[in-house]
Amino acid sequence: MKLQRKNRLRALSLGAVAVSGALALTACGSDDTGSKGSDNSSAPATSASSIKCDDAKGQLLADGSSAQKNAIDAWVKTFSQACGVQINYKGGGSGAGVTAFTQGQVAFAGSDSALKPEEVTASKAVCSGGQGIDLPMVGGPIALGYNVPGVDNLTLDAPTLAKIFDSKISKWNDQAIAKLNPGVKLPDLKIQAFHRSDESGTTDNFTKYLIATTPDTWKYSGGKAWQAKGGQSAPQSAGVAQQVKQTSGAIGYFELSYVADGIKAVSIDTGASKPVVPSTESATADIAAAKVVGTGKDLALQLDYKTKAEGAYPITLVTYEIVCDKGNKADTLPATKAFLRYIASEDGQKVLSGIGYAPVPDEIIAKVRTTIDGLS
């Protein structure tokens, strides 16, 4: 009996090893490009077998948009477990990412603004026989997060926001704010407006909204660097969000996933029948109307900041992954393509809506997938 029991335990142990070995092999050997759960849910979890690793190996360095940092972290965790590739995404801001890319320091960069003509020219020095291109991968609302004690619901419009961030409205009980918020008890409290200290695509998109909707109020030319007078600054979206959270009377702009305990989000009066709350759904409604304005393999988008459509949130951004169309480094190309293919896949895009981001519309993400397959 003892011998039979010993043999039975040994057989069970060998069976467990065989199963775990089979699972390990499927992690990097599957030809599947995506899979759906039985409940067709949008849960962030992705099966390792749905990721096509190909010859991906080693380590990837990347930098850029802090707005997409939470999405990249979720993607990297799943991809690295499946393929064994280490991805170090710094998230130092869009400006830092583009600079690192054009200097050949990273395999890809993230930017909330498409490459400028001079940046495309600079990229040709590191993309042998090619150039940098914009691949839209992450969408989402730019939330105006605030910390005003006793105020749980707040509505603002473009002219009022412009005056707040240009230091022309300094108190929360200002008449312009009160007019937009009838019945709300606004405190006689100083406004502490926070903006980005680093060059940021989030800044670029927020100020594009102000330029498009209230040019007579917002007199600045825009761009990644903050230009308005006054206010306070902090680095990256996480830094601005932290300052808002800990400062009474504060307001700042950052991606929706940074709205957390102690921070509430402003609803925007767009001229529609009722103010629009920032959400993945309201951002998707706006991004769905975006037009591809890039040429060739570049897929830069033009967003509609002036929308008055019901339920469409106007202050949105799309984060681009910037990569060479041709001339990528041979040692990082397989891993770069495998990672980009995963995050553009159906499973990869599913992750976004569960963590405060908006998936890229189907018609556009289909073009992204085709472009990724052709990278060389």
Side-chain angles (χ1 to χ4, degrees), residues 142-155:
I142 300 173
L144 276 301
Y146 71 96
N147 177 1
V148 182
V151 178
D152 293 329
N153 295 289
L154 182 69
T155 296

Side-chain angles (χ1 to χ4, degrees), residues 258-299:
Y258 290 93
V259 174
D261 293 341
I263 302 176
K264 296 179 175 65
V266 172
S267 297
I268 302 299
D269 183 346
T270 65
S273 64
K274 59 182 180 180
V276 185
V277 178
S279 68
T280 57
E281 293 79 14
S282 61
T284 298
D286 183 56
I287 295 171
K291 298 178 181 178
V292 176
V293 293
T295 57
K297 294 183 178 180
D298 187 88
L299 296 174

Side-chain angles (χ1 to χ4, degrees), residues 89 166 181 200:
Y89 183 81
D166 200 20
N181 295 273
S200 160

Side-chain angles (χ1 to χ4, degrees), residues 188-264:
D188 182 12
L189 179 66
K190 183 180 178 182
I191 295 174
Q192 307 279 357
F194 285 89
H195 58 265
R196 290 281 289 271
S197 60
D198 53 319
E199 288 202 353
S200 160
T202 310
T203 294
D204 191 17
N205 282 275
F206 176 49
T207 55
K208 279 179 179 176
Y209 161 74
L210 296 176
I211 293 166
T213 54
T214 184
D216 293 338
T217 309
W218 191 259
K219 301 290 187 178
Y220 304 97
S221 61
K224 291 189 180 76
W226 185 257
Q227 298 171 329
K229 305 296 188 295
Q232 302 180 62
S233 64
Q236 285 88 54
S237 293
V240 175
Q242 181 61 33
Q243 290 299 320
V244 171
K245 183 176 181 177
Q246 66 188 24
T247 306
S248 180
I251 186 171
Y253 57 90
F254 32 77
E255 206 281 326
L256 183 61
S257 67
Y258 290 93
V259 174
D261 293 341
I263 302 176
K264 296 179 175 65

